[in-house]
Amino acid sequence: MTQGVLEGKVALITGAGRGIGRAVALAFAREGASLALCSRTSKELLETEKAAADLGVTTVFQTCDVSRAGDVEAFVTRAIGTLGRVDVLVNNAGVAHRAASLLELSHDEWDDVLATNLRGAWLLARAVIPHMVRQRCGSVINVSSWLGRDALVGYGAYGVSKWGLEGLTRYLALELKSARVRVNSVSPGYVATKMTQYRGGKAEDVVELFVYLASDASASLTGQQLDVETWKRDFGIRKR
Ligand SMILES: NC(=O)c1ccc[n+]([C@@H]2O[C@H](COP(=O)([O-])OP(=O)(O)OC[C@H]3O[C@@H](n4cnc5c(N)ncnc54)[C@H](OP(=O)(O)O)[C@@H]3O)[C@@H](O)[C@H]2O)c1
């Protein structure tokens, strides 16, 4: 049997109960990674855990709201306590908001989106990266959007959160370069999940780039904004 490219690695994935996070978790499991998974809904997490266990990998899962520092610290402590290390962090948990201009959004709507999509990624980075620095290796993958590189009327708070995530990616990559911890962002394209009311392409079709960024094949890549479709085209693996 051939070894998976993530054999021996431990990956921590937020928002892994459904959608892109679940698809990435199962792709990593197929490549042999052990997994630490979180989201706020235990029933969905359990389903992902069962599917990963069927693929023969060790999985730890815990409900965790990524915007809460205490939840994040408890999750990361348990993951590392159980699995011993963490090689890959996928900051995938995210929420959108109703279509409304920035001036129409309520305080709570703005805070909810920024707290999950931006503060959450920073809290995870803060909790996980010191372990990667001690290991002298690690890969952080921030799930962004083309709205973090452009603008669309009606999606301002979401867009600002993703522009912030792109900034977080660049700053962390710069700060961590000599520590051999790399930080990149991925724009997955339009994917059929609960967030898009199940319109768009299949989540399974965006996972190759995540596997590549988690693997040693991308060891020299940091501070990059990657787009799934462009990457597939450049690497010639677009599905026929
Ligand atoms: N689908 C697209 O077309 C698309 C395009 C560009 C970027 N993205 C990005 O891709 C990522 C995944 O989105 P998706 O499309 O897969 O949406 P989704 O199906 O709604 O999944 C989002 C996941 O994040 C979790 N989550 C949300 N808030 C959380 C919180 N505070 N703490 C912990 N987990 C939380 C959700 O679980 P709970 O609700 O149970 O917590 C769920 O597991 C997001 O960052 C999104 O912005 C998606």
Side-chain angles (χ1 to χ4, degrees):
M1 206 171 99
T2 52
Q3 281 226 320
V5 295
L6 303 181
E7 211 75 49
K9 291 194 188 290
V10 173
L12 193 152
I13 304 169
T14 68
R18 60 173 189 262
I20 294 169
R22 176 186 158 94
V24 169
L26 298 183
F28 283 9
R30 275 189 288 277
E31 293 296 340
S34 302
L35 303 173
L37 311 173
C38 80
S39 76
R40 294 167 302 179
T41 309
S42 56
K43 185 172 173 286
E44 291 181 343
L45 274 180
L46 190 58
E47 284 164 13
T48 306
E49 190 272 338
K50 276 191 183 143
D54 286 347
L55 294 165
V57 300
T58 308
T59 305
V60 172
F61 68 98
Q62 184 159 317
T63 51
C64 162
D65 181 336
V66 297
S67 68
R68 295 173 181 232
D71 279 19
V72 168
E73 277 153 29
F75 169 52
V76 173
T77 300
R78 172 145 176 259
I80 292 174
T82 309
L83 300 172
R85 55 185 290 123
V86 58
D87 302 283
V88 184
L89 165 63
V90 184
N91 273 319
N92 166 76
V95 288
H97 54 81
R98 69 190 167 99
S101 76
L102 278 167
L103 304 187
E104 289 165 338
L105 289 174
S106 69
H107 294 173
D108 285 348
E109 287 170 321
W110 170 271
D111 288 346
D112 182 39
V113 172
L114 270 290
T116 304
N117 299 3
L118 184 54
R119 176 180 155 89
W122 173 69
L123 287 176
L124 262 301
R126 223 173 153 266
V128 168
I129 289 174
H131 298 276
M132 294 177 163
V133 170
R134 275 196 288 282
Q135 292 166 189
R136 298 273 312 149
C137 72
S139 173
V140 178
I141 306 168
N142 291 326
V143 183
S144 184
S145 163
W146 71 271
L147 288 174
R149 302 161 192 186
D150 209 332
L152 181 67
V153 170
Y155 299 93
Y158 180 81
V160 168
S161 75
K162 296 297 187 182
W163 276 85
L165 191 61
E166 297 289 1
L168 184 73
T169 303
R170 293 293 278 269
Y171 267 93
L172 286 173
L174 199 61
E175 290 177 3
L176 293 163
K177 203 160 188 174
S178 61
R180 295 162 60 97
V181 175
R182 52 215 181 76
V183 189
N184 295 288
S185 71
V186 168
S187 171
Y190 196 46
V191 181
T193 66
K194 189 173 180 189
M195 183 179 280
T196 60
Q197 285 147 14
Y198 302 99
R199 289 190 290 260
K202 282 197 251 164
E204 291 71 28
D205 289 345
V206 306
V207 298
E208 290 108 317
L209 176 53
F210 288 86
V211 171
Y212 170 71
L213 287 173
S215 76
D216 295 336
S218 60
S220 59
L221 208 67
T222 194
Q224 301 301 305
Q225 297 180 317
L226 298 159
D227 167 80
V228 165
E229 277 307 303
T230 310
W231 183 81
K232 281 185 176 181
R233 192 185 57 227
D234 291 351
F235 279 73
I237 58 170
R238 185 189 284 275
K239 296 235 175 340
R240 282 180 242 282

